[in-house]
Amino acid sequence: QVQLVESGGGLVQAGGSLRLSCAASGSIFSMNAMGWYRQAPGKEREWVARITSGGSTNYADSVKGRFTISRDNAKNTMYLQMNSLKPEDTAVYSCYAHDYEDDYWGQGTQVTVSS
């Protein structure tokens, strides 16, 4: 099965930037869609961004204009570039992928934005 591993999280000041990576153990070419969710303590899981196999992207209103999702099929890696970070972006960010057989999730990476 495909395994997903996130990296790139950490502590950053408000207004700063981070780039999250989601590395897959296998090819992501066959994935119908990949994306990111986040969950802050005491809050519901929130969908953040999605990218399809064809390269179409979608974003939650809360991050639109600040975050950019992309994928590199040759490296089997998906990215989330996060700019102009706000304290309310603090959360555990998890990547996911869907194909026609199953859903796959990473373990999550912590992003903390200080003010």
Side-chain angles (χ1 to χ4, degrees):
Q1 295 85 353
V2 173
Q3 293 181 316
L4 305 177
V5 179
E6 302 96 335
S7 62
L11 176 64
V12 66
Q13 295 184 17
S17 299
L18 285 173
R19 188 178 75 160
L20 305 183
S21 298
C22 175
S25 62
S27 175
I28 63 172
F29 179 79
S30 63
M31 296 297 176
N32 180 255
M34 302 181 68
W36 296 86
Y37 279 82
R38 67 185 182 185
Q39 187 166 27
K43 297 183 179 180
E44 294 183 350
R45 187 183 67 172
E46 176 189 21
W47 171 78
V48 176
R50 174 178 60 214
I51 186 167
T52 70
S53 59
S56 298
T57 59
N58 300 93
Y59 300 92
D61 288 341
S62 58
V63 307
K64 192 173 298 182
R66 300 187 297 120
F67 291 11
T68 302
I69 189 171
S70 62
R71 62 194 291 173
D72 187 335
N73 290 340
K75 296 182 178 180
N76 293 325
T77 302
M78 177 181 61
Y79 305 96
L80 185 68
Q81 178 67 45
M82 305 184 296
N83 298 326
S84 302
L85 283 163
K86 305 174 181 179
E88 49 262 47
D89 294 319
T90 296
V92 174
Y93 286 72
S94 300
C95 64
Y96 70 88
H98 303 304
D99 62 18
Y100 291 108
E101 300 294 332
D102 212 340
D103 301 331
Y104 307 95
W105 289 89
Q107 81 288 351
T109 185
Q110 176 71 47
V111 172
T112 302
V113 184
S114 63
S115 61

